[in-house]
């Protein structure tokens, strides 16, 4: 067979991810905080984008559910228009993020001209520097303090200990040793470095370091600067006047407490069950990580993306949280004025690119909101029994079931439910909470949700009597009588995931408190 070059024409199909489609997919999986930051960056980058201060119309979907032999059917849904842009073109409501966006802006001209455009930032004037030296803000004005000077933050653990060190120790040499020891304290409040090594680094003797450490261990919070958990607990118990010889023996055998071996502890401490129970309560009242009380990041509350409320007629109203929806618009008038007086081809190409990007961002935000609303509505329809009666009626649900119901791909549903929260009459839940695996029914009926089974196991253990502690096999038998077909290893896995000790450990605990 002769070998030689030749030309062939082949026809095939391939999925091409355009930059715009990648952006739409990226926006879909962002949380509300990440989306707000992304939109802020786009507002700074694109001169044709503006923040829309007007209140948008909130998209709402109404879902009617009814019970019929355990099945809940949804009535036809009604949806009002969601307006995220007043000047920019609004997309069709029939599309979803699985649609190929290649043909939306087929005549779009992509250019690298934007990389050649640079803005010059004027330097600070002498009066500005003088204003900052006087404590004033960037705005100046009569020597008043700027906004930055009024900002506050929490005191760190190091600062808290250093302040006490300066008041407790006057000797400069001891204060230097104390400052170095404070630098060795980790965020939990412990000193893990050996004192001999610290003394060698400082060029001091161990007899010089130990008294300073003893002084630091009297600082607030109680238990700080300890070298082990035993020493941390001993410091706190000594402060409460609870560190007697019997308690010291208990602390020397903390590993027995961890194993719940209270019988051996009673023998070693020469104490009865009531005394051991009292010592256990004292130890549990201590803080094993006292340093964590300082310098922690503030807890950010969860902001739901969707609200679900029940109407008077029993149907569910699902609406988007307007506070989490970025409101942007495209300034078409500014584009028309600038492009009319611009003769530079590069400038026109840059403006055209900014306009296309702005229009696409508005379209992507609108599409994202509609998709979240559609997925949330289907979740409410599927989990109506949970909203009405509680976690015992949570149904097993997977991504494919929701995707097939709303004619989307599973990957799209997965992105929508990531980092999104839904506020229901039973609390705020992450959307992924409603997707649980199924456990077969022993009676051949409808499968049970794994989350509902975990809740049932927790209820059984909490209701058990001290003289009748349930083993994993006992729990399996009880669940099978309730129609739940589950293996013993699955019960053990669920119990350990909920941090519930074994039946042997629970029996020991209940004996102590009996």
């Amino acid at each position: 067979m002769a070998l030689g070059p030749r030309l062939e024409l082949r026809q095939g199909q391939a999925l091409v991810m355009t930059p715009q489609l990648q952006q739409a997919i990226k926006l879909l999986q962002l949380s509300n905080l990440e989306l707000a930051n992304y939109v802020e960056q786009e507002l700074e980058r694109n001169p044709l984008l503006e923040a829309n201060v007007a209140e948008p119309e909130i998209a709402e979907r109404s879902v009617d559910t009814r019970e019929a032999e355990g099945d809940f059917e949804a009535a036809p849904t009604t949806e009002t228009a969601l307006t995220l842009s007043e000047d920019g073109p609004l997309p069709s409501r029939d599309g979803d993020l699985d649609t190929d966006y290649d043909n939306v802006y087929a005549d779009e001209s992509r250019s690298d001209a934007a990389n050649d455009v640079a803005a010059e930032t004027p330097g600070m004037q002498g009066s500005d520097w003088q204003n900052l030296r006087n404590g004033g803000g960037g705005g100046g004005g009569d020597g008043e303090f700027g906004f930055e000077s009024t900002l506050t933050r929490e005191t760190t653990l190091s600062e808290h200990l250093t302040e006490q060190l300066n008041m407790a120790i006057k000797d400069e040499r001891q204060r230097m040793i104390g400052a170095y020891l404070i630098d060795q304290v980790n965020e939990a409040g412990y000193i893990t470095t050996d004192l001999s090594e610290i003394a060698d680094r400082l060029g001091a003797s161990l007899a010089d370091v130990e008294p300073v450490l003893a002084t630091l261990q009297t600082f607030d919070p109680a238990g700080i600067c300890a070298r082990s958990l035993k020493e941390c607990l001993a410091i706190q118990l000594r402060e409460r006047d609870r560190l007697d010889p019997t308690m010291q023996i208990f602390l020397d055998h903390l590993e027995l407490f961890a194993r719940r071996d209270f019988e051996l502890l009673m023998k070693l401490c020469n104490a009865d069950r009531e005394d051991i129970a009292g010592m256990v309560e004292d130890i549990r009242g201590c803080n094993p990580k006292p340093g964590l009380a300082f310098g922690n990041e503030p807890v950010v509350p969860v902001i739901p993306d969707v609200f679900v409320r029940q109407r008077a007629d029993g149907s569910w109203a699902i609406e988007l949280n307007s506070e989490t929806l970025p409101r942007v618009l495209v300034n078409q008038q500014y584009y028309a004025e600038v492009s009319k007086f611009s003769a530079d081809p590069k400038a026109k190409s840059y403006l055209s690119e900014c306009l296309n990007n702005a229009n696409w961002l508005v379209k992507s935000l609108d599409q994202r909101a509609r998709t979240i609303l559609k997925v949330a509505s289907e979740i409410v329809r599927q989990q109506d029994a949970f909203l009405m009666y509680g976690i015992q009626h949570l149904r097993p649900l997977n991504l494919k079931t929701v995707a097939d119901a709303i004619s989307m791909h599973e990957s799209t549903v997965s992105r929508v439910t990531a980092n999104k929260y839904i506020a229901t009459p039973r609390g705020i839940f992450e959307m992924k909470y409603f997707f649980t695996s199924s456990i077969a029914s022993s009676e051949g009926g409808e499968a049970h949700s794994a989350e509902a089974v975990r809740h049932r196991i927790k209820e059984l253990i909490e209701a058990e009597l001290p003289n009748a502690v349930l083993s994993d096999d006992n729990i399996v038998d009880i669940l099978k009588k309730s129609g739940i077909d589950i293996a013993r290893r699955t019960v053990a896995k669920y119990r350990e995931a909920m941090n519930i000790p074994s039946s042997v450990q629970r029996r020991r605990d209940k004996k102590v408190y009996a």
Side-chain angles (χ1 to χ4, degrees):
M1 185 173 78
L3 297 178
R6 60 180 181 179
L7 295 177
E8 290 186 354
L9 183 62
R10 296 181 181 179
Q11 186 176 7
Q13 293 182 342
L15 177 63
V16 179
M17 295 287 289
T18 63
Q20 292 84 1
L21 187 57
Q22 292 177 7
Q23 181 197 57
I25 294 175
K26 178 182 178 181
L27 293 182
L28 192 61
Q29 59 191 2
L30 293 180
S31 64
N32 47 30
L33 294 178
E34 294 171 340
L35 181 66
N37 292 333
Y38 180 85
V39 172
E40 285 294 333
Q41 294 175 5
E42 290 297 319
L43 287 172
E44 296 178 359
R45 185 182 301 112
N46 196 328
L48 300 183
L49 276 176
E50 292 183 359
N52 186 6
V53 296
E55 291 293 332
E57 298 180 11
I58 304 303
E60 180 176 314
R61 189 180 286 264
S62 174
V63 177
D64 296 324
T65 55
R66 61 185 177 85
E67 185 175 2
E69 297 179 355
D71 294 331
F72 293 87
E73 298 180 359
T77 59
T78 60
E79 181 182 1
T80 59
L82 172 67
T83 304
L84 294 181
S85 170
E86 294 184 355
D87 293 345
L90 288 178
S92 172
R93 291 176 49 176
D94 296 331
D96 55 67
L97 289 181
D98 290 317
T99 305
D100 190 354
Y101 287 130
D102 290 316
N103 298 325
V104 177
Y105 295 108
D107 55 346
E108 178 178 45
S109 175
R110 306 291 295 178
S111 174
D112 294 330
N115 298 329
D116 300 330
V117 179
E120 295 183 359
T121 302
M124 298 181 65
Q125 304 298 326
S127 59
D128 296 331
W129 286 111
Q130 185 66 29
N131 186 31
L132 287 178
R133 290 182 60 184
N134 294 334
D142 300 332
E144 296 181 357
F145 288 99
F147 174 74
E148 293 81 1
S149 62
T150 65
L151 297 179
T152 61
R153 60 177 176 82
E154 290 187 8
T155 303
T156 64
L157 177 61
S158 178
E159 293 171 347
H160 183 66
L161 295 177
T162 302
E163 182 180 354
Q164 298 177 74
L165 174 68
N166 295 332
M167 293 187 296
I169 299 179
K170 301 301 181 182
D171 184 77
E172 291 296 334
R173 177 180 174 85
Q174 292 184 344
R175 186 179 292 180
M176 183 191 69
I177 296 175
Y180 188 84
L181 289 174
I182 290 175
D183 289 339
Q184 304 304 310
V185 177
N186 60 22
E187 61 180 9
Y190 289 85
I191 295 179
T192 57
T193 309
D194 186 75
L195 283 188
S196 300
E197 182 179 348
I198 293 177
D200 291 339
R201 292 177 183 176
L202 295 174
S205 64
L206 192 60
D208 295 331
V209 178
E210 287 179 343
V212 179
L213 176 61
T215 303
L216 294 181
Q217 290 178 349
T218 62
F219 289 175
D220 178 76
I224 204 68
C225 297
R227 289 164 291 179
S228 63
L229 176 60
K230 170 187 171 182
E231 188 175 33
C232 178
L233 297 176
I235 294 172
Q236 299 180 55
L237 292 171
R238 184 183 300 112
E239 185 176 293
R240 302 177 187 177
D241 197 20
R242 290 291 299 158
L243 189 62
D244 52 22
T246 304
M247 179 64 79
Q248 188 64 54
I249 297 175
F250 192 102
L251 293 178
D252 292 337
H253 300 85
L254 280 177
E255 68 280 358
L256 299 179
F257 173 53
R259 298 202 306 262
R260 268 78 171 179
D261 193 352
F262 296 107
E263 296 292 338
L264 184 54
L265 274 175
M266 286 188 288
K267 293 180 181 179
L268 293 174
C269 297
N270 193 20
D272 56 17
R273 182 177 290 106
E274 184 177 353
D275 292 335
I276 293 296
M279 287 188 285
V280 169
E281 286 298 327
D282 291 336
I283 289 179
R284 286 180 174 172
C286 298
N287 186 0
K289 297 180 179 180
L292 296 183
F294 293 87
N296 292 335
E297 292 293 330
V299 178
V300 180
V302 174
I303 302 177
D305 299 86
V306 180
F307 291 111
V308 177
R309 56 182 176 85
Q310 191 174 20
R311 292 196 177 98
D313 59 355
S315 62
W316 297 101
I318 301 97
E319 63 183 29
L320 294 173
N321 185 1
S322 61
E323 297 297 329
T324 64
L325 295 176
R327 297 184 284 270
V328 295
L329 54 83
V330 182
N331 195 332
Q332 301 279 4
Q333 181 179 1
Y334 178 71
Y335 169 76
E337 292 179 358
V338 175
S339 59
K340 180 171 60 176
F341 296 101
S342 176
D344 187 1
K346 290 186 176 180
K348 287 187 176 181
S349 176
Y350 171 71
L351 289 174
S352 177
E353 181 181 5
C354 289
L355 179 63
N356 290 330
N357 290 339
N359 285 331
W360 190 269
L361 177 62
V362 172
K363 177 184 175 68
S364 300
L365 291 175
D366 184 82
Q367 194 76 21
R368 175 184 182 272
R370 297 185 190 280
T371 307
I372 293 176
L373 185 65
K374 188 181 296 185
V375 173
S377 301
E378 181 59 25
I379 291 176
V380 171
R381 192 186 74 85
Q382 295 283 347
Q383 300 293 359
D384 176 79
F386 164 77
L387 298 176
M388 293 290 294
Y389 307 111
I391 192 173
Q392 297 87 349
H393 298 270
L394 186 68
R395 289 179 171 180
L397 185 65
N398 54 38
L399 297 174
K400 187 176 186 304
T401 302
V402 175
D404 293 342
I406 60 178
S407 301
M408 286 187 179
H409 195 269
E410 292 180 41
S411 61
T412 303
V413 177
S414 178
R415 293 186 179 97
V416 169
T417 55
N419 303 317
K420 310 295 188 307
Y421 292 87
I422 179 170
T424 71
R426 296 196 172 274
I428 299 178
F429 300 91
E430 189 178 7
M431 285 191 178
K432 286 189 177 296
Y433 172 83
F434 298 97
F435 295 89
T436 61
S437 56
S438 61
I439 296 178
S441 173
S442 60
E443 300 174 354
E446 186 178 358
H448 302 272
S449 168
E451 186 67 25
V453 174
R454 279 193 289 266
H455 181 74
R456 176 61 175 156
I457 293 173
K458 184 178 180 182
E459 285 184 335
L460 290 174
I461 294 176
E462 290 177 349
E464 64 186 5
L465 300 175
N467 57 350
V469 176
L470 298 175
S471 65
D472 293 343
D473 291 326
N474 297 140
I475 295 176
V476 169
D477 295 337
I478 295 175
L479 292 178
K480 285 187 176 180
K481 292 179 182 178
S482 303
I484 302 174
D485 188 10
I486 188 172
R488 188 197 63 81
R489 62 179 179 273
T490 306
V491 172
K493 181 180 69 174
Y494 288 169
R495 175 178 53 75
E496 292 172 357
M498 294 184 288
N499 295 322
I500 298 176
S502 64
S503 58
V504 176
Q505 294 177 342
R506 298 200 308 273
R507 188 176 294 108
R508 289 174 179 172
D509 291 344
K510 293 180 184 295
K511 280 185 179 181
V512 173
Y513 293 104

